[in-house]
Amino acid sequence: MKMTVIGCGYLGATHAACMAELGHEVLGMDSDIDKVHTLNTGKAPFFERDLDDLLTKHTASGRLKFTASYAEAAEFADLHFIGVGTPQQPGSDAYDLTHLFDAVTKLAPGLTRPAVVAVKSTVPVGTAPRVAELLRKHAPAGDLIEVAWNPEFLRESFAVEDTLRPDRLVLGFNTEHSWAEALLRQAFGKIIESGRPTIVTDWATAELAKGAANSFLATKISFINAMAEVCEKSGANVAELADILAHDIRIGRCGMRPGLGFGGGCLPKDLRGFITRADELDADEAVGILREAAAVNARRRQRVIDLTLAELGTDLRGKRITVWGAAFKPETDDIRDSPALAVAQALHDLGATVTVTDPKALDNARKLHPELDYVEDPIAAADDADLLLHLTEWHQFSHIDPKRLAARTNSPKVIDARGTLHTAQWRDAGWITRALGRI
């Protein structure tokens, strides 16, 4: 098939490359000319595992190319995926749909024949009818344009895997047995034939799917971090408690990782956006548990700051703190709502000299937090440190020899906020260690 992908950020670029991998001819469209140029060279303007390999393969094969022209995209195909960003509105927790409506409005004038517009962007429930109305108003084909909803459930650093082998495929339509359904089933044919669960539903249910999924995941993470608070008060071990709970098949192991909490461009935004939309629908009491999940997550960051003050004193002026981690999670360069950088910035604001290291995210961190210090080598970053904070669980950090590291610090003290350092080994090497949820 021929298809387009409008918006080529994390979601769109991955979707475009994976659709080419499935055998389709794909045109990615983005208004950022520099991004289009980079993608046409077979490289992503961000780090996502395995994505560059697919981009290189299919820009070379001719199945995949990128443009900055809406007119070219409209003419290219009859199936158009939209994967533009829907960030939070400035000064609000609600989704900002400006990019989505702008993309639809600019694509519409070129839609002169029947077509399907399949939206992948995460939105508040009730957005699909507004998209359909824009297309009826601005597209020459008018009522011949069908709207579908195809939410994504990608995990950063696993986005290629999750696109090609998803846990489930969700397709939302306004009418039964529509042309849009037939077209999307053809587009995802190889995935459907592989036996992946495919759920066909209405617009509203499909719109709710991503926000509901992320809200549940956020709640699960916050639950185990709430247990970490209880463990710290009682002397229990939250890592062992999580393992006990994970053996219950009703609970499961996925997401039961106590630590500094969640960040990134999806879970925090979708949790807040879901709560805001529920408030608008007069269903605010139904999402009280989600408000507490957000509060627990915020307390994790403050707990690391409190532990730092307990170790170094309330006056941090003249103190040197090393932070291992800038990305919100390992195997990505994404720093959006990064717990590690939030803590680093807060300690800097309290007067400390903060040095940050990360295998992939330093360039992005420098742009957003130029007042912090940055060192590429995690061992050199700890030189003369009064305290080491382990805030993003890159596997490289857990393999560093703590004896070798201790000799370079001013004081061998570490707060392991992710719980992946081998505590006994570090203590044997002379370190004073603290970990969230454990004594």
Side-chain angles (χ1 to χ4, degrees):
M1 295 177 65
K2 296 179 72 172
M3 61 188 65
T4 73
V5 179
I6 311 299
C8 294
Y10 277 95
L11 166 59
T14 302
H15 187 67
C18 289
M19 289 298 102
E21 177 71 5
L22 292 174
H24 303 303
E25 188 176 346
V26 185
L27 177 65
M29 184 271 149
D30 197 283
S31 57
D32 186 331
I33 295 176
D34 290 337
K35 183 187 294 182
V36 168
H37 173 74
T38 300
L39 289 165
N40 274 323
T41 66
K43 300 294 181 183
F46 50 84
F47 175 73
E48 177 60 43
R49 185 166 49 188
D50 301 327
L51 180 56
D52 277 357
D53 291 341
L54 288 189
L55 289 170
T56 300
K57 176 181 177 181
H58 292 300
T59 51
S61 73
R63 284 186 191 167
L64 178 62
K65 62 180 180 178
F66 296 89
T67 181
S69 170
Y70 278 98
E72 183 182 355
E75 178 62 27
F76 182 80
D78 297 327
L79 174 57
H80 306 278
F81 289 98
I82 297 183
V84 297
T86 51
Q88 284 182 257
Q89 293 180 17
S92 169
D93 286 340
Y95 290 102
D96 185 346
L97 302 180
T98 302
H99 298 307
L100 173 60
F101 294 148
D102 184 60
V104 172
T105 302
K106 289 180 177 177
L107 177 68
L111 301 179
T112 59
R113 60 185 187 268
V116 172
V117 174
V119 180
K120 299 187 71 65
S121 303
T122 307
V123 299
V125 62
T127 302
R130 299 172 67 184
V131 170
E133 179 59 30
L134 284 174
L135 290 168
R136 283 193 295 269
K137 180 178 179 181
H138 296 288
D143 291 337
L144 298 178
I145 310 298
E146 292 196 37
V147 173
W149 225 259
N150 174 221
E152 55 84 13
F153 303 96
L154 308 185
R155 300 165 296 165
E156 285 190 38
S157 76
F158 296 95
V160 170
E161 171 73 16
D162 289 345
T163 302
L164 294 175
R165 286 167 286 277
D167 291 330
R168 71 288 206 194
L169 186 63
V170 176
L171 307 175
F173 307 100
N174 192 35
T175 57
E176 293 184 6
H177 309 299
S178 68
W179 176 54
E181 181 179 344
L183 208 60
L184 283 172
R185 283 185 176 277
Q186 185 181 352
F188 293 113
K190 290 184 178 180
I191 292 174
I192 295 171
E193 290 167 7
S194 73
R196 301 288 167 173
T198 301
I199 301 142
V200 176
T201 186
D202 55 82
W203 276 346
T205 305
E207 288 174 308
L208 281 170
K210 175 64 182 299
N214 276 349
S215 294
F216 183 86
L217 292 171
T219 302
K220 192 171 184 181
I221 295 168
S222 286
F223 171 81
I224 197 60
N225 281 328
M227 294 302 100
E229 295 181 14
V230 177
C231 287
E232 288 187 21
K233 297 290 186 180
S234 64
N237 186 313
V238 72
E240 294 176 1
L241 177 62
D243 186 49
I244 293 168
L245 296 177
H247 284 287
D248 189 323
I249 60 173
R250 298 166 299 174
I251 298 173
R253 188 170 301 279
C254 184
M256 294 287 284
R257 288 283 304 277
L260 189 52
F262 54 82
C266 289
L267 255 64
K269 172 180 73 87
D270 291 346
L271 180 63
R272 292 188 286 260
F274 200 90
I275 292 170
T276 299
R277 185 58 177 148
D279 290 345
E280 294 170 350
L281 294 171
D282 198 26
D284 52 298
E285 291 185 358
V287 293
I289 190 173
L290 301 185
R291 298 183 202 280
E292 183 55 29
V296 170
N297 196 58
R299 289 203 297 272
R300 290 291 81 196
R301 304 178 187 193
Q302 185 59 47
R303 180 57 178 155
V304 173
I305 295 169
D306 292 343
L307 287 175
T308 298
L309 296 176
E311 289 294 335
L312 300 182
T314 56
D315 186 357
L316 295 183
R317 290 173 297 179
K319 301 295 185 180
R320 301 181 62 85
I321 298 173
T322 297
V323 170
W324 276 358
F328 85 92
K329 60 179 281 188
E331 303 301 331
T332 182
D333 62 354
D334 193 346
I335 62 168
R336 289 176 293 177
D337 203 359
S338 164
L341 286 178
V343 170
Q345 183 64 54
L347 294 175
H348 167 83
D349 293 344
L350 290 172
T353 298
V354 181
T355 301
V356 179
T357 186
D358 190 282
K360 294 291 183 182
L362 288 192
D363 287 344
N364 289 337
R366 285 189 185 98
K367 296 173 185 175
L368 192 63
H369 297 276
E371 59 277 5
L372 302 178
D373 295 333
Y374 297 95
V375 174
E376 292 188 6
D377 181 2
I379 295 176
D383 284 350
D384 300 321
D386 297 299
L387 180 66
L388 171 64
L389 302 181
H390 177 226
L391 304 186
T392 307
E393 63 273 32
W394 288 90
H395 70 88
Q396 293 95 319
F397 297 154
S398 61
H399 287 88
I400 290 174
D401 180 4
K403 276 189 179 179
R404 177 186 174 195
L405 192 66
R408 304 184 65 146
T409 68
N410 182 48
S411 177
K413 297 179 180 179
V414 60
I415 296 175
D416 179 12
R418 292 298 184 180
T420 58
L421 301 181
H422 194 290
T423 301
Q425 182 183 7
W426 281 68
R427 286 177 176 170
D428 288 345
W431 286 80
I432 298 172
T433 66
R434 295 289 299 269
L436 297 185
R438 286 176 280 183
I439 57 175

